[in-house]
Amino acid sequence: MNITIDFGGTNIKIGLVEAGMVAAKKSIPAHSAGGLGSRLPDVERSVHELLAKAGVSLQQCSGIGLALPGIVDSKRKQVLSAIKDKYTDAAGFDFTHWTNSAFSLPLAMENDARAALIGEAAYGAARGAKDAVLVIFGTGIGTAAIMNGAIVRGSHYQAGILGGHLATDIYGETCLCGNVGCLEAQASHWAIPQRAGKIDGFSSSALARENPLGYEGVIKAYAEGDECARQLMDDLILHWSAGIVNLIHAYDPEVVVLSGGLMKSAAYLLPRVAERVLALAWTPWGTPRFEVAEDPEISVMLGLSHLLCEARRP
Ligand SMILES: [Zn+2]
């Protein structure tokens, strides 16, 4: 049995994973703007509560896996660079010391999107694929890539995961990362209020009545026939598609896995995005397959557990 903890921006999701199956899970509020250190006593208590509820002792567990946003050095078990306003004290934090003293278990650590793709490749939507990319539409836009059957990390652990920070408009919005016109600054959940506010007629549109305004509000207003929402949706589809084309050109995947809350509307969105991506991408060999991840939370848990099992292999 492995313990997994996914430090998301909104919730911290704790899981117990055995043989590619989630045996038990629990979620607690993240309060990520308040930092990581102040949440750890609650996390530790919640892990023990979950173990007790599942009837599993700490001695029956073989490892603990942590997923975090930002740039994660999976070898030295460090966060090299945190995301602005989310667990900013995670950079430089001694995770090995914490997991040793709290649980006395071997540790695996990974960026959250990378962990999700590892899970999808081992058990889910990208199973069997040697080359795959994943895009998670959460608060931000996370990405990851697998090439030749191996997760892409790069020399500084930032390869594959910065797809949300490939520009889709060089004249666009300033991003949290310091770049301009990143996919995330143009078309992520957090970017919606700023983008919507610039559309003519916004103040009298259905979008203005949504608080907070994000993906769900845009989809709802669009379904109601709101003109402002239609303009914004058309624009978002152009940016999401451009972002996916960038990933296809960079990593040559056979499968594109789409994940995150936005994919609740995949039945409507995916055909429009796929049509544009396939019209624009340069793939003389054929066309990449699009898959929707069944459950983004579970894929991170399975990915972390898979990393722990791999690390134990002789
Ligand atoms: Zn950026």
Side-chain angles (χ1 to χ4, degrees):
M1 185 78 74
N2 289 316
I3 301 167
T4 64
I5 307 173
D6 177 6
F7 290 89
T10 312
N11 292 301
I12 299 171
K13 291 145 280 184
I14 302 163
L16 300 179
V17 184
E18 171 96 76
M21 301 281 284
V22 176
K25 63 186 171 95
K26 176 184 171 95
S27 185
I28 61 172
H31 307 306
S32 53
L36 178 86
S38 59
R39 297 300 292 133
L40 294 181
D42 248 7
V43 171
E44 196 179 328
R45 196 164 38 246
S46 299
V47 169
H48 287 292
E49 281 170 13
L50 187 63
L51 286 167
K53 200 175 158 201
V56 178
S57 71
L58 202 51
Q59 290 70 34
Q60 287 171 287
C61 297
S62 5
I64 183 158
L66 310 181
L68 286 117
I71 300 172
V72 175
D73 179 337
S74 54
K75 200 169 167 189
R76 292 183 186 80
K77 323 282 165 60
Q78 288 173 351
V79 172
L80 301 178
S81 183
I83 287 179
K84 200 176 176 187
D85 299 334
K86 276 192 204 173
Y87 306 117
T88 44
D89 56 339
F93 183 83
D94 190 344
F95 289 93
T96 307
H97 175 76
W98 177 62
T99 49
N100 269 340
S101 57
F103 307 107
S104 302
L105 287 171
L107 168 65
M109 252 180 90
E110 192 48 279
N111 162 270
D112 48 8
R114 240 186 235 134
L117 181 54
I118 292 168
E120 292 299 336
Y123 306 105
R127 195 171 179 167
K130 276 180 69 189
D131 298 279
V133 294
L134 169 129
V135 187
I136 300 186
F137 297 93
T139 311
I141 296 179
T143 69
I146 283 177
M147 292 181 84
N148 298 317
I151 194 80
V152 176
R153 291 192 174 98
S155 295
H156 311 99
Y157 299 92
Q158 62 183 64
I161 62 170
L162 299 185
H165 302 279
L166 295 177
T168 55
D169 180 357
I170 58 165
Y171 303 106
E173 311 287 342
T174 300
C175 185
L176 298 174
C177 74
N179 192 9
V180 172
C182 296
L183 170 63
E184 191 167 303
Q186 300 300 131
S188 73
H189 181 80
W190 67 253
I192 298 280
Q194 191 179 9
R195 296 300 318 282
K198 290 184 178 173
I199 299 172
D200 285 345
F202 168 75
S203 56
S204 58
S205 78
L207 294 176
R209 295 194 291 276
E210 294 289 330
N211 188 25
L213 174 61
Y215 283 149
E216 275 184 30
V218 177
I219 287 163
K220 189 170 142 231
Y222 177 83
E224 288 165 2
D226 182 79
E227 171 55 21
C228 214
R230 186 196 63 75
Q231 283 182 42
L232 182 56
M233 180 62 83
D234 287 351
D235 184 71
L236 291 172
I237 284 171
L238 296 184
H239 284 283
W240 295 330
S241 304
I244 294 167
V245 169
N246 286 343
L247 290 173
I248 290 171
H249 289 175
Y251 299 107
D252 190 12
E254 53 189 296
V255 187
V256 177
V257 181
L258 303 176
S259 183
L262 181 66
M263 287 300 114
K264 284 182 206 146
S265 307
Y268 160 73
L269 295 175
L270 185 52
R272 286 192 67 186
V273 169
E275 185 187 13
R276 183 157 178 91
V277 169
L278 297 179
L280 298 183
W282 190 7
T283 56
W285 56 271
T287 52
R289 197 169 88 238
F290 286 86
E291 297 280 355
V292 174
E294 217 170 283
D295 188 332
E297 287 184 17
I298 303 264
S299 58
V300 173
M301 293 179 189
L302 295 181
L304 289 172
S305 183
H306 186 75
L307 278 173
L308 285 162
C309 294
E310 291 280 292
R312 280 199 293 276
R313 232 174 244 178

